[in-house]
Amino acid sequence: MKRTGKGRRFRIFSLALFAFWTILPLRAQVFELNGGASSLYDAQGATLTARGPSFDASLGAGLVDGKFVGGANLTKKIGDTTYVAGSDYIHFSLPTDIFDSSAYLVALGAGATTRLDNTDIFVFAGATSSDFNSPFVDGVRAESPSGILFLKRRLAPNLELSSNMVFSSLFTAIQSVQWKPAEKTHLAVSAGVGANQPYASASFDFLRPWIDLKAAYIDAGSQFSRVAVDAPLFSEPTRENAVVTVHPMKYFSVSGGRQNFLSPVDNSTQTVRSTVNSLAGNAFIQGTSISASFYHSTYLGNWNNATAYTAGRSLFSRVRTTASYLESRPNDAAKTRVFSSNITETLNPRLDVTELITRSQGQTTVSFGGGFLSNIASVSAQYQTYYVPERNKAPFEQALIMDVQLHLIHGVTLHGATFVAPDGSLRYTGDEQTVVARQGSWGAPSGEPTLARGAIGSSLLRGSVIDAGGHPVSGAAIMIDKLLVYTNDDGVFFVTEGRPRTHIVKVLPDQFLNGSSWRVVSAPPEIRSSADNNAPPTTIVVERAVQGGG
């Protein structure tokens, strides 16, 4: 019987599913289910994640660009080495990436990260993937067999060498050196090939209280990419790039820049050049903020000159108004003008409303937005203006940027958001997250004053986390000595140990599992276990952090 690639992928995926459900739950403490759909990533699917004290594991499946993908990941730390198996999200930035350091690649296989003789080493063997992960689909499809070797070595406190190599059908080898002669002053040089295309770059990053200067020159082949995979949301800088902001006075700044990009076309590895020149000034005078910006962009042989003027002021303690005038003068279309006025009123620290009035081409439109924050829901709907050089005839894009989170029972969170892609199109992401935290039996070996995994004891350490309204908070992260625990659906955490002891307790708001921002209202510095199982639990009070408002 002939074995097809699809059949092999199905058997591998089934084996990963079996291992996930039978082996990992025995040691996992936290389970997280995340699923949804996104036009930003052109993906739909779900991922189940399990976390333990020294490992993370995930299993995902869905559709990316209309194609089924499935994958699994296991990350385990042993000593000073972190091992990974399955699909891996690999950060691939160079020290000359001073404008955008978010470059990455996705691979399928096995690898390890360690440190040896002052050298950081990352090695991976498997295959690169032409698909990329979304926030809720951990799935890839192997395309090109590859070996990856990243090295970074510090020769002196201010001097560092790095080497990034990908051995595949198209070869990548980029070597870099970074020098930091003074605090907040960086110089770097990178050179080599990327996907068989030549590459060389040099950068200078200088920051002082009165000036912020970033400059780089990149000489790359017309079809350069770090790896020969589709990455439609990432543009590579090329040729001269510089952005400088000067603060000659406390309430005044001026900035200017020139940036060149290799922009992806039609979700492929093909790229075209685009350029944006900009000049802007900002001032704050007698409570009024004023800004003026000028742009000149070129894309696919066309050019555009555009200007933007904005003024904003708080009229009362809770009302702020902003007025903007935008003008676009493309070479291949008629001039366009847009006038808009934005009024935002903060009704209370948890609720604000926004009204946007726009006048363009003889027509007036009125739109509404705002924000709301509560224990159950957080909603934000704000209008933002983007300059998109790819849209030469109308480069100013006004978009309603929304972010909605609903916190339901049993650790379930629904989330939806909109984004503006590099081509100016409005994209969305919708996902659901479910978190289940379970408590195990923990104890301390004889003679040890701190908690550790192992023994089952008769002494119980118990606590609860509630919000300011007295409601339980699930997925709250609590550090007891060096042991991290999470609250269950009832907002309760507990640990068992051999005999009663006192431990240091610390709340970690930035590691809560329910996707919100929290701050601590009250928490004791210590917590003590008790042989009396009816002893009252320790209570910790937190509240959702309010962004902005009065």
Side-chain angles (χ1 to χ4, degrees):
M1 180 182 297
K2 183 179 180 180
R3 297 185 178 182
T4 64
K6 182 182 295 185
R8 285 193 296 271
R9 287 195 296 269
F10 177 77
R11 281 186 288 273
I12 294 173
F13 185 77
S14 299
L15 181 60
L17 182 65
F18 173 78
F20 192 96
W21 282 109
T22 58
I23 301 174
L24 297 182
L26 298 178
R27 299 180 62 84
Q29 185 187 6
V30 178
F31 294 90
E32 179 181 327
L33 177 63
N34 195 354
S38 171
S39 65
L40 178 67
Y41 294 90
D42 194 13
Q44 309 88 38
T47 296
L48 178 62
T49 302
R51 295 189 176 94
S54 61
F55 77 88
D56 286 339
S58 64
L59 179 68
L63 297 176
V64 176
D65 195 22
K67 302 173 183 177
F68 175 80
V69 293
N73 171 275
L74 174 61
T75 302
K76 173 72 174 177
K77 186 172 184 179
I78 302 176
D80 295 330
T81 302
T82 300
Y83 298 91
V84 61
S87 55
D88 192 21
Y89 180 100
I90 302 173
H91 191 56
F92 191 172
S93 66
L94 304 172
T96 51
D97 292 337
I98 58 176
F99 296 101
D100 186 357
S101 59
S102 62
Y104 69 93
L105 64 94
V106 179
L108 181 65
T113 301
T114 190
R115 185 175 181 83
L116 183 62
D117 293 334
N118 204 33
T119 300
D120 295 326
I121 302 172
F122 172 75
V123 60
F124 195 94
T128 54
S129 169
S130 60
D131 296 320
F132 54 91
N133 294 356
S134 76
F136 40 77
V137 181
D138 184 15
V140 297
R141 188 182 65 251
E143 291 292 340
S144 178
S146 302
I148 302 170
L149 178 62
F150 291 172
L151 303 172
K152 183 182 295 185
R153 183 176 180 86
R154 188 176 298 276
L155 299 181
N158 61 350
L159 184 62
E160 188 175 82
L161 300 179
S162 60
S163 176
N164 300 81
M165 293 179 286
V166 180
F167 306 89
S168 187
S169 56
L170 298 180
F171 180 59
T172 294
I174 301 176
Q175 320 304 321
S176 306
V177 58
Q178 183 180 37
W179 180 43
K180 301 178 182 179
E183 184 179 2
K184 297 182 180 179
T185 302
H186 299 173
L187 294 94
V189 176
S190 300
V193 295
N196 286 2
Q197 293 282 305
Y199 178 85
S201 62
S203 67
F204 176 63
D205 190 353
F206 181 81
L207 178 62
R208 293 295 183 271
W210 61 276
I211 187 173
D212 183 1
L213 171 62
K214 297 180 184 294
Y217 189 87
I218 300 99
D219 187 9
S222 61
Q223 297 304 313
F224 166 81
S225 61
R226 306 187 185 212
V227 183
V229 295
D230 295 344
L233 299 179
F234 184 77
S235 296
E236 284 280 0
T238 185
R239 298 191 301 188
E240 69 277 7
N241 288 264
V243 175
V244 59
T245 301
V246 180
H247 305 271
M249 293 178 289
K250 182 178 180 180
Y251 301 109
F252 176 72
S253 66
V254 60
S255 61
R258 175 179 175 84
Q259 292 185 277
N260 293 278
F261 302 97
L262 291 175
S263 302
V265 178
D266 299 329
N267 293 345
S268 71
T269 57
Q270 299 300 307
T271 59
V272 297
R273 294 185 185 274
S274 62
T275 301
V276 178
N277 299 314
S278 63
L279 178 65
N282 298 275
F284 189 79
I285 305 173
Q286 297 295 315
T288 301
S289 60
I290 303 172
S291 66
S293 304
F294 306 88
Y295 303 93
H296 174 76
S297 61
T298 60
Y299 183 74
L300 289 177
N302 293 312
W303 55 264
N304 190 307
N305 293 319
T307 55
Y309 303 94
T310 301
R313 182 180 179 85
S314 295
L315 301 181
F316 308 101
S317 61
R318 297 192 175 190
V319 178
R320 179 170 180 80
T321 180
T322 303
S324 300
Y325 174 77
L326 312 175
E327 184 176 289
S328 170
R329 299 179 297 279
N331 70 312
D332 58 346
K335 179 170 62 177
T336 60
R337 299 185 180 94
V338 178
F339 175 81
S340 65
S341 177
N342 188 307
I343 302 173
T344 300
E345 180 179 3
T346 302
L347 302 180
N348 58 57
R350 295 180 179 271
L351 177 64
D352 63 77
V353 294
T354 300
E355 180 183 21
L356 177 66
I357 304 173
T358 303
R359 177 76 176 175
S360 178
Q361 297 180 342
Q363 296 183 339
T364 301
T365 59
V366 180
S367 307
F368 296 92
F372 174 73
L373 179 64
S374 72
N375 290 333
I376 298 177
S378 60
V379 181
S380 175
Q382 304 293 336
Y383 288 90
Q384 298 183 19
T385 301
Y386 298 83
Y387 186 82
V388 184
E390 285 83 350
R391 293 189 172 184
N392 193 66
K393 295 182 179 180
F396 290 108
E397 175 69 21
Q398 282 191 323
L400 176 62
I401 305 301
M402 297 193 64
D403 192 285
V404 180
Q405 286 194 16
L406 300 177
H407 308 284
L408 308 180
I409 60 175
H410 302 304
V412 177
T413 299
L414 303 181
H415 174 249
T418 58
F419 306 86
V420 173
D423 62 0
S425 60
L426 189 66
R427 307 293 182 91
Y428 75 90
T429 291
D431 60 278
E432 179 272 343
Q433 181 184 65
T434 301
V435 177
V436 178
R438 73 175 189 176
Q439 310 299 325
S441 296
W442 304 70
S446 177
E448 291 290 338
T450 57
L451 294 174
R453 176 185 291 273
I456 298 177
S458 59
S459 294
L460 179 65
L461 184 153
R462 183 173 57 174
S464 65
V465 180
I466 60 175
D467 61 21
H471 305 101
V473 178
S474 64
I478 310 296
M479 183 71 76
I480 305 173
D481 287 341
K482 296 182 180 180
L483 173 66
L484 179 63
V485 298
Y486 296 91
T487 57
N488 58 20
D489 289 347
D490 299 320
V492 175
F493 64 92
F494 57 87
V495 175
T496 59
E497 58 181 344
R499 59 183 177 84
R501 290 188 179 90
T502 299
H503 306 277
I504 297 174
V505 62
K506 184 179 180 180
V507 185
L508 306 178
D510 60 337
Q511 296 188 33
F512 280 28
L513 299 174
N514 50 21
S516 299
S517 297
W518 296 85
R519 73 176 188 89
V520 180
V521 176
S522 64
E526 296 180 339
I527 188 171
R528 182 172 177 81
S529 59
S530 173
D532 181 8
N533 290 340
N534 295 320
T538 299
T539 301
I540 296 172
V541 181
V542 298
E543 67 178 6
R544 295 188 191 275
V546 178
Q547 303 296 327

